[in-house]
Amino acid sequence: MKLPSKSMVARFGWATTAHGTTQAIRLAVNLVLTRLLAPEVFGIMLIVNTLRTGAELLSDIGVGQNVIASPNGEKRDFLDTAWTLQLLRGSLLGIIIAFCALPVAKLYHNDLLTQILPLTGALVFILGAESIQRFIAVRRQELAKFTKFEIAITVAGGIIQIALAWIFPNVWGLIYANIAGAAATVALSFLFFPDRALRFRIDRTHAREILTFGKWIFLSSVVYFVSTNFDRLYLGTAIPLALLGVFGVARSLAEVVSGLVIRIGNSIIFPAVASSSGDRAELRTKLAHSRLPLILLAATGLSVFIALSDVVIALLYDKRYHEAAYMLPILAAGVWFTILATIGESVMLGIGRPVYGAAGNLAKLIWLIIALPLAVTTHGILGGVLVIALADGVRYLPIWWAQKRSHLSFARQDLGVTLLMFAMIGLWREIFGLVGLTSGWSGWWAMARGLMS
């Protein structure tokens, strides 16, 4: 597969449509839920969902990546083996999560977790049965079909969440909704990607191939999870649940843009690079032309969002969540480094070097382990938010070094667009202040002085 411009533009279009639509639906659902539920509920769910994501990533053996990248990816025996391994992994995870309920409840001093986590384990078990054919759609770059699937499961999940939160206006409404949403996801996966010939079978040769490649995916996923979620896990023990819930709102909004780039990296850049020729000079030339419009677009959109971030919080959320107004611009600025690191990691994964992604996440983790507790202890949640925003800048450095060694570095391009983005933030903030949309730089400065006093 080459990297033709028209094809790439179409893929970007579908990826953007999927991300934009699903994020709009999730935001609408979140706004409804914040009016039905107290911030403490979101604090508990932030812990639960982080632990669930962690369990999934800590057992990641790269089933999807194998189907996408392997020359055997569309053979029946290979797909059966991949689906069987996926199902076994989900079953084992469900059991492990259930057994972890008591120690986790003691760690967070919340007895509800002893009841919630076994149900979360059931959710993971259900998701293990998803159709393996969804990865074939990504392999073939059938992004239109995959987009429709993602929108369908997002709509179904949103309807279920709102209905059950209205019936049970507490944490149980969201727990029941997650389980029902998992069942709907599995059903829709077979509706969109039917696989009538699927069998429970393990071919040793294919299993060895999956697990050999998967060991690097596993290592990368372990470090990725801990580095990405260390802030949530640590803050859950260091700040009140209500403030944790507010932080979760700010972080989820900040990650809207980075989520799009992660989607593009996983569904477009990685498959395209993995199937390209081995000529690095040719690959670098094509990537240079493809990535520049992408990061310019991301920088422009992110700069506008940062400049309006406090207004977004004031308009969308009630006063219980307004503390997110000072967290959001800082976290959103940190998302820029997430974007650059994610694009680089997708390229390195595409050329068969997932270990460098793990190295980047390890550097990020070390930074957070050292700096986050110190910052929270000395400067409170504001200091913690600043450390979190800088974390992906630390992650970017090893990935840049790996790209340089592989003759695929774009450091000058990244530096130029970074400076441009921060200049645009200042410009937008000044313009929006002049027309009365925001309080301009004075509002940010007043808020910063109040937090530091």
Side-chain angles (χ1 to χ4, degrees), residues 9 12 19 67 109 142 145 167 179 189 204 234 258 283 285 364 368 384 387 395 422:
V9 168
F12 282 152
H19 185 74
V67 173
H109 308 289
E142 296 172 349
K145 182 188 292 188
I167 297 170
I179 295 173
S189 75
R204 290 186 179 182
Y234 169 75
S258 63
L283 177 60
T285 300
K364 175 181 176 180
L368 288 172
V387 166
R395 173 187 165 214
F422 282 100

Side-chain angles (χ1 to χ4, degrees), residues 291-306:
R291 79 191 296 278
L292 182 58
L294 172 63
I295 63 174
L296 281 173
L297 181 62
T300 303
L302 187 59
S303 65
V304 173
F305 179 73
I306 293 170

